[in-house]
Amino acid sequence: MPITDSSTLSLRVAQTLRPLGIIRSMRSYSILADCLQLIWEQEDRLEAVQKEIYEPVAEKHCSDWTAIQSTIRRAAQTAWSTNPSRVQELAGYPLDGCPSAVQFLEMLYNDLARG
């Protein structure tokens, strides 16, 4: 289904994250959702991740940008340990191990964009 509004985006984010073991009760879920919302609004934010994604999300969550990056990295590790075949599928290319925080965000965004 094409994403036309924020409720549709929220549903698609849930459908993408749940099979990776990232559920709504986890702090990383809301952080990833906020990051993906920013990327959805302006895809080229992926070119300046710290300034355009981590820092605004950190401000919203009253945190430091490094904590946001760390949370995303831990979420990627959760996904990798929960469902490595799905992570490989999201990547679209062979991974030697757990993706970095930026790779993980890009993979999730690409999945949302593909529908």
Side-chain angles (χ1 to χ4, degrees):
M1 97 182 88
I3 298 174
T4 55
D5 58 31
S6 62
S7 63
T8 306
L9 179 61
S10 178
L11 176 63
R12 290 280 296 126
V13 166
Q15 290 170 339
T16 299
L17 296 179
R18 185 171 247 331
L20 301 174
I22 302 166
I23 57 175
R24 289 182 193 266
S25 62
M26 298 169 78
R27 181 171 189 257
S28 57
Y29 182 96
S30 63
I31 288 173
L32 284 168
D34 289 342
C35 291
L36 292 167
Q37 176 71 44
L38 288 173
I39 299 165
W40 188 261
E41 292 168 1
Q42 191 176 332
E43 184 179 325
D44 65 1
R45 285 185 167 132
L46 283 166
E47 296 170 14
V49 177
Q50 178 186 332
K51 186 168 179 53
E52 298 287 332
I53 300 171
Y54 296 162
E55 289 178 4
V57 172
E59 189 174 315
K60 179 179 178 181
H61 290 266
C62 300
S63 184
D64 189 73
W65 74 266
T66 57
I68 300 302
Q69 180 186 42
S70 178
T71 299
I72 295 167
R73 202 171 33 250
R74 283 193 310 276
Q77 291 166 347
T78 297
W80 184 253
S81 64
T82 302
N83 195 344
S85 61
R86 178 66 179 138
V87 175
Q88 289 277 3
E89 184 182 319
L90 287 172
Y93 54 88
L95 293 171
D96 294 330
C98 180
S100 70
V102 174
Q103 283 176 309
F104 193 56
L105 284 176
E106 183 180 14
M107 291 162 39
L108 294 172
Y109 169 72
N110 287 337
D111 186 61
L112 293 174
R114 284 192 299 264

